[in-house]
Amino acid sequence: MILVDFIVSRFNYWIYIILMMMGLFAMIAKKNLIKKLIGMSIFQTAIILFFVSIGVKEGSTIPILAHEAAHDPAHQQAAPLTEKGEGHIQNGKGRDALRAEDYANPLPHVLMLTAIVVGVATLGVGLAVVQKLHQEFGSIEEPEILAKIDSDDG
Amino acid sequence: MRALGTIAVILTGALLLYASGDFPAWGEPYSPANDSRVSRHYILKSFEETSVPNMVTAVLADYRSYDTLFETVVIFTAGIAIISILRGPVDKRVRLRRASEKSLRQSNLILAQTCRLLVPVIQMFALYVIAHGHHSPGGGFQGGVIFGASLILVALSFQLQTALDRISEKRAMILAGIGVLIYSGIGLTCVLLGSNFLDYSVLSKVLPLSAIEARSYGILGVETGVAFTVTAIMFAIYANLSSHGRMKGGL
Amino acid sequence: MVDQYPAIVLLAPFFAAIAVSLLGNWKSGFCLPLTVLSLVISLMSSIALLGQVAESGEVVYLLGGWPRPYGIEFRVDPLNGLLLVVICTIALLSSIYSIRAAAVETPDKCPQFYTLYLLLVTGLLGMSMTGDAFNLYVLVEVASLTSYALIAMRSKRAVLASFNYIIMGTIGASFYLLGVGYLYMKTGSLNMVDIREVLLESGLYTSETILVAFMMIMVGVWIKMAFFPLHGWLPNAYSYAPSTASCVLAPLVTKVTVYVMIRMMFTVFGPEYVFVYLGWSDVVVWMAIVAILAGSILALAQTDLKKMLSYLIVAEVGYMVGGVWLANETALVGAIYHVISDAFMTLCLFLAAGAIITKTGKYCIKDMEGLFRKMPWTMVGFVIAALSMIGIPPTCGFFSKWYLINGGIEAGNWGYVAALLISSLINAILFFRVIEVAYFKKESTDSDKEETVSGSSGVGEPPLTMLGPLLVTAVCLLLIGIFNQEIVILIRQAVSSFGPLGFIG
């Protein structure tokens, strides 16, 4: 059981490393430009998986305030913000009190929204560049393009 | 290249595995990141400070709205970059005649009619997602992508020209620029009203709202701007990539 | 007004970019005046900001009014204050230069070109101002995406160079992002100052995660700045790019990335961690020595003028990385000084090269016969930049190298000193080779060679819009050299604001 617990507590991090290394290998070693871009996409997605894994809290829900919680002015005052590290000790103000443990950490999600957008933008520009290369050289294989360039020079 | 790739992968992988032993356990509620001052503040105080129940929206469009502004700019840049890369130096684009009527007849009947039924629903849902980002998962990016998808669906099930008749590439780029302008314009208004860039609370000076409500409406405003840009650029990217930048033919 | 300077510096080119993209389609005549106007505004407010910083210390600008660490802030100290002025000046000079060149090299794409150009400048300004580690990533991507597009605007080889740049640039930026993620995992914060406080308070120096975070961030930044073994993308990308684009990319992108490295080492991790706890400075300085020598030797092997200059950038990056990692104040001052002077030297050389290439249509060094007679003023600018690269006294190159060499001696690292001297010698050979061809060689009355279409007989000085920026840059090189004391005082102020340095410990 200890082993299972250990694996569960590390699983996401291992998977992200494996995915990321697959992407990195494709980006460096593949000769086909589209395959390189696929590698790039996997590489960026792996990082998203890593970030989202940071923000998970066991037993928590999505970081959206429940309807009652948002509209009941009484208990908004229930949990005064405390400095780092103390909040989870004092929350005995009734079971409805707003507790940080109940909601997933919103910050990694916000960061990854940005990273997804950046990834899409880079991928789009990358595809446009590959299309342009295909128009110019009639190939998307790096060695063939390099050979064409050399023959143009000579 | 293969050897180089293998070496890079092994080195980086080993390094990352080495560090993963030091990580807090997955799902740990009191890990340094989850229990940090910043994260606790966002969870406990964001509703009080911005009156937005969706914390992700509050952080995205208010606490870190400067990030999100440049995220929108990244999308906008990608649109312009793709156009400038794919458009040849000498552009001999022929203006196609308005093809909608013809293409309607040409395309598959079932496909066309299904698309006709679906597109308005998709667009309505997109608007809902944009507007309801305060209370449920959603917001400008998500809604914008859905709206853009509806336009792409038109292009896919009819012809690219059919979609371009409804929203030309030039108009899409202007729309994208307007989206960024809405976002940064709201930010600039805050400066002109005497506060810092993107400090929406100062909008309460001109709107009949309290400072906290003004933040909520400011967020809605910038989300709308984001939605404009994302919709337009998604479509422009599709149109350019599917037609090799020639804006005709398509998939 | 006064407290809005940081916002104005960034927002002027940003709004101009949107305006150019909206109005440019309608009338492309708007593009250039808007660009120049916004850069002038940006330059003026960056100078005012620098004055403010020099007088009263760090300026903090809270975006959205949220205090640290909840929101994002601009944090301007003398170091990035200086950098902002440099970025604005260089962007302004090359935008004036672009009047003719953009029309020739990227016809029909005027609005797109200027939008991308202004967004690139915005990205670079934002990178140097921000006080938030994640925001830095977003702005790095803005700057990178625009550079990819600017490079790929010209056809053929530039496109392949741009593709390689996309792949390498994405690896670099993603490594940086991953490093930030590791930092966040352990510290729970993204604000640079806040991360350092948490690192100190919770005694995280021994953590493996922080170690890997540091390595990831460094490798990512090194890829982005083309530090020697990771430089592969740079030479092709910069030499095949349209000359207006390379005039702004080559001087700025690598230098701003060097700044990012300094910021990461001194503000986020802190010199105590980097130099005292890790103590890797010897290893990295040796890597820098290799980079300097390799860059210089590769430059020696080139026949294409722009490619030679591109390899020189690789060597110059070695100077700066070495100077920063020598871990003493003199060398750090030298490295920062060199960031500034190298930005102007590179600009001057690329402007001259661009002018020569547009006028003669020739890329090879051996084809530059008799240029001194045909375009004397252009060559004057070129020679001043060359003297500065070599390190001849009244120019700024001498002073920055002086500090770097003194720093090397102080650290007792003779290998670095020797590498600097050898590289200066190679620079001398390189540039005298060009000058010799251009000055002494008589133009072979080519009966055997075909007359090129552009007509080498009618070659004269480039138009004033090209010559002006070139000569202004050359004068800047002299001024930065002459006023070295003032600049060094500012840099020392910045260095001392990094807190008690753990140097020589």
Side-chain angles (χ1 to χ4, degrees), chain B residues 199-212:
Chain B
D199 184 359
Y200 314 130
S201 63
V202 80
L203 292 175
S204 62
K205 281 186 189 171
V206 287
L207 300 172
L209 299 166
S210 72
I212 292 168

Side-chain angles (χ1 to χ4, degrees), chain A residues 41-56:
Chain A
S41 210
I42 298 174
F43 186 75
Q44 290 179 323
T45 314
I47 294 180
I48 295 171
L49 174 62
F50 164 69
F51 265 88
V52 173
S53 305
I54 303 177
V56 176

Side-chain angles (χ1 to χ4, degrees), chain C residues 8 39 52 74 100 107 141 152 156 158 190 234 267 273 327 355 363 365 378-379 387 439 461 469 480 504:
Chain C
I8 297 170
L39 290 171
Q52 202 181 338
F74 288 151
R100 282 295 176 86
E141 285 294 347
K156 290 277 173 184
L190 292 168
L234 183 135
T267 305
Y273 181 73
Y363 293 85
I365 296 169
T378 313
M379 290 315 281
L387 292 180
Y439 192 79
E461 282 290 347
I480 296 171
I504 319 164

Side-chain angles (χ1 to χ4, degrees), chain A residues 13 16 20 24 27-28 33 36-37 40 43-44 47 50-51 54 81 105 107-108 111-112 114-115 118 121-122 125-126 129-130 132-133 136-137 142 145-146 149 152-153, chain C residues 70 109 134 137-138 141 145 148-149 152-157 159-160 162-164 166-168 170-171 174-175 177-178 180-182 184-185 187-188 190 198 202 216 240:
Chain A
Y13 301 131
Y16 116 76
M20 190 168 158
L24 186 62
M27 282 166 93
I28 298 174
L33 300 183
K36 279 187 185 231
L37 286 181
M40 187 172 96
F43 186 75
Q44 290 179 323
I47 294 180
F50 164 69
F51 265 88
I54 303 177
L81 180 71
N105 186 354
L107 190 53
L111 302 184
M112 284 313 102
T114 309
V118 168
T122 320
V125 174
V129 168
V130 173
K132 179 89 174 173
L133 278 170
E136 299 273 353
F137 298 102
E142 205 177 5
I145 295 175
L146 287 174
I149 286 180
D152 283 358
D153 278 358
Chain C
Y70 310 119
K109 292 185 189 172
F134 184 81
Y137 166 75
V138 179
E141 285 294 347
L145 275 177
Y148 306 150
M153 270 176 130
R154 247 175 63 179
S155 49
K156 290 277 173 184
R157 288 171 155 213
V159 187
L160 187 63
S162 170
F163 185 83
N164 286 330
I166 291 180
I167 295 291
M168 287 305 278
T170 309
I171 295 179
S174 301
F175 273 16
L177 176 62
L178 198 64
V180 172
Y182 276 36
Y184 174 67
M185 179 175 237
T187 62
L190 292 168
V198 176
S202 1
M216 282 288 159
Y240 298 134

Side-chain angles (χ1 to χ4, degrees), chain A residues 62-134:
Chain A
I62 52 168
I64 296 173
L65 220 53
H67 188 73
E68 317 80 67
H71 294 276
D72 175 11
H75 92 193
Q76 278 166 36
Q77 314 324 342
L81 180 71
T82 51
E83 278 308 299
K84 188 168 171 282
E86 290 162 32
H88 57 269
I89 302 165
Q90 58 86 43
N91 49 38
K93 285 231 177 181
R95 73 198 150 83
D96 285 323
L98 185 58
R99 300 192 319 158
E101 294 85 332
D102 292 339
Y103 297 98
N105 186 354
L107 190 53
H109 297 263
V110 173
L111 302 184
M112 284 313 102
L113 251 167
T114 309
I116 290 169
V117 168
V118 168
V120 168
T122 320
L123 189 64
V125 174
L127 285 171
V129 168
V130 173
Q131 275 201 354
K132 179 89 174 173
L133 278 170
H134 190 259

